[in-house]
Amino acid sequence: MLKPGSTIGILGGGQLGRMLAMAAAQLGYRCIAYAPEKDPVAGDVCADLFTNDWHDAKAMAAFAQKCDVITWEFENVPVEPLAPLTQRLAPHPRALETAQDRVLEKRFVENLGGRPAPWKAVDDRGDLMEAIERIGTPGILKTRRDGYDGKGQWRMASARDAEGFNRTGTPLVYEGLVAFEAEFSVILVRGKDGAVRYWDSPHNVHESGILARSSLPAPAVVTEQVESARALAKQVADALDYVGVLTCEFFATRQGPVFNEMAPRVHNSGHWTIEGAATSQFENHIRAICGLPLGDTATTGSAVAMENIIGKAAAKAHAFLADPDAHLHLYGKATAREGRKMGHVTRVTHG
Ligand code: AMP
């Protein structure tokens, strides 16, 4: 159990790190961030900030020396420079390795009995044509690595789109488009002793590949599938001997849950837990990596809605303060680029 006053290192400098650091502060810990990005908003609420490159071994060692435990908020942290830090890392970097490559991730989940969308690895045009012949259209071509928020994805409505596609050369994966009824996520926390707790699974709505809103209660088509989705998510967590918050995203289809992807970290679809659950995903992640008892994950309201504030919408975000039921979170980002997550607002209904 990590004593209050200990230091938690966070790899990555985005809003997830910012909210983790705020939860850690409440439990008496101090955080330092390592974030080689332009606008590391986690740095605003951390005691120290390293802005060095991921591959700067000297800086990484100096950072690690200051930390009692190290976690990440960004799933594309390169794994190789983390090797000397493994003893102090939670979760174990094998979770990062698996989640960073869509092909490894799908194979891993299939080996556990999970069902992703039909897929094929695509390295060249021949692979793409074969994939389309076997899986059919419509489908989505995605980069194997480094994709997030719908980036690095191309929809293929017909074989003709594939013929005109000229981005081969980067490792890709082709997926059949899933005709889903709804999307949802399983957000769980696993402690060092292997105990697992789940939050209620929200109904997630994406627009242009970016999460727009998450809400509870989820429709029946989701709640009926949560048990089997949870069973798979737990298998994933157990197989990785995972410590902390893990999120698995699913499509609810007429044939049951189809695994989309996993995020080995706190997740946007769990932001509602700050005001809408007995213990937030951020606090429970900190509890888990520090070896503290996990908190209750029960939903506290009868309904919860979390809406993302994206791009230029942030300029008008203070208008939400006129609504007494709205909890506004702004991430302190300087530039409101199109599609950039700038904040979120959560409403919890009681009674
Ligand atoms: P991803 O980054 O892979 O989670 O994709 C972002 C969003 O695009 C998902 O949440 C879905 O709304 C949509 N999407 C991605 N892959 C598929 C698929 N195979 N079938 C249907 N929709 C998809």
Side-chain angles (χ1 to χ4, degrees):
M1 209 169 85
L2 213 60
K3 285 199 220 79
S6 302
T7 300
I8 300 170
I10 300 175
L11 300 168
Q15 64 268 18
L16 302 178
R18 185 175 166 106
M19 290 185 270
L20 280 172
M22 286 155 78
Q26 192 184 331
L27 293 175
Y29 299 114
R30 59 198 287 282
C31 289
I32 64 176
Y34 193 110
E37 62 211 53
K38 275 210 190 88
D39 196 3
V41 294
D44 294 349
V45 297
C46 284
D48 201 357
L49 173 67
F50 285 65
T51 53
N52 309 71
D53 188 84
W54 293 121
H55 296 277
D56 182 339
K58 238 169 118 181
M60 190 62 93
F63 168 78
Q65 222 194 353
K66 291 187 167 204
C67 302
D68 297 292
V69 65
I70 302 171
T71 192
W72 60 78
E73 62 97 51
F74 175 57
E75 76 202 54
N76 291 324
V77 177
V79 172
E80 184 212 323
L82 304 185
L85 280 56
T86 305
Q87 289 302 319
R88 249 175 277 184
L89 268 173
H92 191 281
R94 72 174 77 89
L96 271 185
E97 248 166 328
T98 312
Q100 281 177 356
D101 182 332
R102 290 186 191 273
V103 167
L104 287 188
E105 179 183 58
K106 288 175 198 302
R107 278 198 196 119
F108 177 75
V109 162
E110 279 175 340
N111 285 338
L112 295 171
R115 188 163 59 101
W119 63 275
K120 181 176 173 10
V122 170
D123 291 323
D124 54 34
R125 183 157 299 283
D127 288 338
L128 178 56
M129 290 313 177
E130 240 177 75
I132 286 183
E133 209 176 292
R134 178 158 65 78
I135 298 166
T137 53
I140 308 187
L141 198 54
K142 300 179 178 179
T143 53
R144 271 175 74 160
R145 306 181 70 92
D146 294 331
Y148 69 98
D149 284 349
K151 293 186 179 73
Q153 300 193 2
W154 301 270
R155 295 213 171 203
M156 303 275 147
S158 67
R160 195 179 302 160
D161 288 343
E163 278 156 23
F165 188 79
N166 60 8
R167 292 284 295 269
T168 47
T170 332
L172 301 162
V173 61
Y174 182 76
E175 291 177 23
L177 196 75
V178 177
F180 57 78
E181 313 270 304
E183 289 187 80
F184 68 100
S185 45
V186 171
I187 311 159
L188 64 78
V189 60
R190 187 172 184 275
K192 286 192 172 166
D193 58 355
V196 170
R197 293 189 181 194
Y198 307 90
W199 283 269
D200 280 335
S201 278
H203 175 207
N204 301 327
V205 175
H206 291 80
E207 286 167 8
S208 311
I210 305 175
L211 183 69
R213 64 195 75 89
S214 294
S215 57
L216 284 164
V221 63
V222 169
T223 53
E224 284 159 5
Q225 305 197 3
V226 165
E227 199 182 316
S228 94
R230 278 184 180 178
L232 178 64
K234 182 176 186 304
Q235 275 183 288
V236 169
D238 288 342
L240 295 167
D241 197 11
Y242 196 87
V243 174
V245 170
L246 171 77
T247 309
C248 292
E249 294 184 77
F250 290 91
F251 302 117
T253 73
R254 292 208 183 117
Q255 293 76 39
V258 171
F259 172 88
N260 177 20
E261 62 177 358
M262 66 189 247
R265 54 167 170 78
V266 287
H267 193 255
N268 193 173
S269 66
H271 288 2
W272 62 272
T273 62
I274 297 175
E275 292 90 7
T279 313
S280 78
Q281 61 166 350
F282 301 102
E283 179 173 337
N284 259 345
H285 185 78
I286 297 296
R287 287 190 189 212
I289 65 168
C290 294
L292 301 174
L294 300 180
D296 181 10
T297 49
T299 305
T300 52
S302 53
V304 182
M306 187 287 309
E307 202 184 309
N308 272 335
I309 300 168
I310 294 172
K312 290 203 166 45
K316 294 192 185 134
H318 279 161
F320 286 114
L321 298 175
D323 176 352
D325 295 327
H327 299 276
L328 178 65
H329 297 253
L330 290 176
Y331 306 147
K333 295 182 183 178
T335 47
R337 279 195 307 276
E338 198 191 325
R340 194 167 194 214
K341 291 173 179 170
M342 302 298 289
H344 72 268
V345 63
T346 300
R347 292 185 182 80
V348 183
T349 309
H350 294 278

